[in-house]
């Protein structure tokens, strides 16, 4: 570093970090780094050194466009304000846009059915995570919602399928059912029922007719198998 560089840094520190309020607004002969810092201040005051927008292609484009100049789709520009001010303005507009849909959707949602899946103790600290793998699928052809999930308590080899009609007034046969993998992949009837038991690692709908599952051997041994299976809903 040259002596000029060191002097520049020293002057900046003196001007902006010294307990001397009379120096805060002093114009120095060096480049003022506060040209950058002014954009980051969380204040509503105007910028000390607003940017020069002359020759800016975007502003010239807007100025010459009769359709875009007053368009409500373009967020207004505040050349005299910091980024914090603009951020608050934008958050206010977004909140206003989302409030009406939230009210309408919230009032239209109601409970269609209630199913008791399991019971836990009163203490939240001792409550284990029993619900896993929720995956949603909407069959637009038959207008049915599906939810895939597993229960970790005593049924790791099962995957549950919950079905509901999009028209809540209509019922669906087998609204909830479980598919148990267990030892269905055994190669012969001679194999032990406990030797090849599988549990579900993940499950997603492949399409309206097929579910894809990732299975693993439940037996604790080295080199446990992982299987990718396609199961028809039928």
């Amino acid at each position: 570093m040259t002596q000029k560089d060191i002097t520049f840094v020293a002057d900046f520190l003196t001007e902006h970090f010294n307990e001397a309020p009379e120096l805060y607004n002093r114009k120095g002969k060096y480049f003022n780094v506060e040209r950058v810092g002014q954009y980051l201040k969380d204040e509503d005051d105007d910028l000390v050194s607003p940017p020069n927008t002359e020759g800016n292609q975007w502003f010239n484009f807007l100025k010459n466009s009769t359709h875009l100049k007053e368009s409500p789709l373009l967020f207004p520009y505040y050349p005299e304000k910091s980024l914090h001010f603009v951020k608050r303005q934008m958050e206010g507009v977004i909140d206003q846009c989302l409030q009406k849909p939230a009210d309408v959707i919230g009032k239209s949602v109601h409970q269609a059915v209630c199913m008791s899946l399991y019971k836990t103790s009163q203490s939240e600290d001792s409550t284990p995570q029993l619900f896993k793998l929720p995956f949603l699928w909407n069959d637009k052809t038959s207008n049915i919602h599906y939810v895939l999930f597993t229960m970790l308590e005593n049924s790791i080899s099962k995957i549950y399928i919950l079905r509901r009609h999009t028209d809540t007034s209509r019922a669906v046969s087998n609204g909830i059912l479980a598919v148990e993998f267990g030892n269905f992949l055994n190669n012969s009837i001679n194999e032990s029922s406990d030797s090849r038991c599988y549990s579900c690692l993940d499950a997603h709908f492949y399409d309206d007719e097929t579910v894809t599952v990732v299975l693993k051997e439940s037996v604790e041994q080295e080199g446990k198998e992982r299987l990718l299976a396609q199961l028809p809903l039928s």
Side-chain angles (χ1 to χ4, degrees):
M1 295 178 65
T2 64
Q3 185 61 41
K4 185 177 181 180
D5 295 330
I6 297 175
T7 305
F8 168 79
V9 174
D11 283 357
F12 174 76
L13 294 176
T14 302
E15 182 176 349
H16 294 285
F17 294 96
N18 194 2
E19 292 296 332
E22 67 274 11
L23 298 178
Y24 288 170
N25 296 321
R26 191 186 68 180
K27 297 290 184 180
K29 60 180 179 178
Y30 300 106
F31 173 74
N32 191 342
V33 183
E34 281 301 284
R35 283 180 177 272
V36 177
Q38 64 179 349
Y39 289 102
L40 306 178
K41 291 181 178 178
D42 193 4
E43 299 173 353
D44 290 340
D45 297 337
D46 291 347
L47 297 177
V48 178
S49 303
N52 181 14
T53 59
E54 186 178 353
N56 186 293
Q57 294 179 347
W58 173 249
F59 294 125
N60 292 339
F61 170 70
L62 291 182
K63 193 182 301 182
N64 298 326
S65 173
T66 54
H67 298 290
L68 291 177
K69 190 184 300 182
E70 303 297 332
S71 173
L73 300 177
L74 291 178
F75 195 79
Y77 177 61
Y78 303 95
E80 306 288 333
K81 298 296 184 179
S82 71
L83 292 178
H84 277 283
F85 176 85
V86 176
K87 175 176 175 285
R88 284 198 302 273
Q89 293 290 318
M90 182 177 291
E91 286 175 342
V93 172
I94 294 175
D95 288 344
Q96 187 177 1
C97 291
L98 296 179
Q99 187 59 47
K100 186 68 175 178
D103 292 341
V104 173
I105 294 173
K107 292 176 182 177
S108 66
V109 173
H110 63 276
Q111 178 178 300
V113 64
C114 180
M115 295 182 181
S116 178
L117 297 178
Y118 58 83
K119 293 183 178 181
T120 61
S121 61
Q122 295 294 329
S123 173
E124 293 183 0
D125 297 334
S126 60
T127 302
Q129 180 190 0
L130 299 179
F131 189 77
K132 192 181 177 185
L133 265 177
F135 179 77
L136 309 179
W137 179 265
N138 182 20
D139 184 350
K140 294 182 174 62
T141 305
S142 56
N143 296 324
I144 293 180
H145 284 307
Y146 288 91
V147 183
L148 294 180
F149 62 93
T150 57
M151 304 284 289
L152 303 182
E153 184 91 350
N154 300 325
S155 58
I156 58 174
S157 63
K158 294 180 183 178
I159 181 171
Y160 294 84
I161 303 177
L162 173 66
R163 305 196 306 169
R164 293 293 302 174
H165 203 285
T166 53
D167 181 358
T168 55
S169 62
R170 299 179 59 182
V172 177
S173 61
N174 293 328
I176 185 169
L177 54 85
V179 179
E180 183 167 14
F181 303 105
N183 56 0
F184 79 108
L185 292 173
N186 288 351
N187 294 326
S188 70
I189 59 175
N190 296 325
E191 291 192 39
S192 168
S193 60
D194 297 330
S195 62
R196 300 288 293 276
C197 188
Y198 290 87
S199 60
C200 184
L201 283 177
D202 200 1
H204 281 204
F205 267 81
Y206 180 77
D207 56 28
D208 290 342
E209 307 292 336
T210 312
V211 177
T212 301
V213 294
V214 180
L215 304 173
K216 75 166 183 175
E217 271 192 284
S218 301
V219 181
E220 290 294 336
Q221 63 183 20
E222 189 175 350
K224 289 189 292 185
E225 283 191 287
R226 300 290 193 274
L227 298 176
L228 184 70
Q230 297 273 80
L231 303 179
L233 273 181
S234 57

